[in-house]
């Protein structure tokens, strides 16, 4: 994973504040942005809103798996 300090700041402050919310439809773009940053490649919007919950869970899981790297990028 190779994220910038600005990306790490956004993930730790903005994304972390909403990642546990149940209103996935309101925050799907933030989940997609987080996934794109962590994976290092653009993640497209699902064609069906029925997939939004799964996307949110994946983004949250990726965040938790890479939290130490995100914090390190912010601290550099």
């Amino acid at each position: 994973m190779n994220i910038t300090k600005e990306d790490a700041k956004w993930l730790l402050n903005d994304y972390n504040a909403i990642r546990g919310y149940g209103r996935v439809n309101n925050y799907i773009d933030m989940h997609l942005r987080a996934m794109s940053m962590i994976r290092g490649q653009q993640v497209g919007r699902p064609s069906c809103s029925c997939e939004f919950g799964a996307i949110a869970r994946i983004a949250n899981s990726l965040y938790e798996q890479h939290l130490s790297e995100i914090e390190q990028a912010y601290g550099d």
Side-chain angles (χ1 to χ4, degrees):
M1 183 176 74
N2 187 18
I3 63 171
T4 66
K5 186 172 185 166
E6 285 300 311
D7 289 346
K9 180 181 177 182
W10 182 85
L11 286 164
L12 291 169
N13 296 322
D14 299 332
Y15 181 67
N16 188 46
I18 65 93
R19 68 187 182 93
Y21 281 15
R23 300 174 126 180
V24 177
N25 291 350
N26 296 345
Y27 299 105
I28 189 63
D29 291 330
M30 292 179 81
H31 293 297
L32 293 170
R33 181 177 175 190
M35 284 179 63
S36 295
M37 287 178 183
I38 294 169
R39 287 186 170 172
Q41 62 186 19
Q42 187 65 35
V43 176
R45 188 178 184 95
S47 58
C48 177
S49 62
C50 62
E51 298 175 27
F52 286 4
I55 293 291
R57 287 188 296 278
I58 293 168
N60 188 48
S61 177
L62 285 169
Y63 177 89
E64 290 174 355
Q65 290 173 35
H66 296 281
L67 182 57
S68 63
E69 296 168 72
I70 295 166
E71 290 172 335
Q72 184 178 11
Y74 184 64
D76 289 347

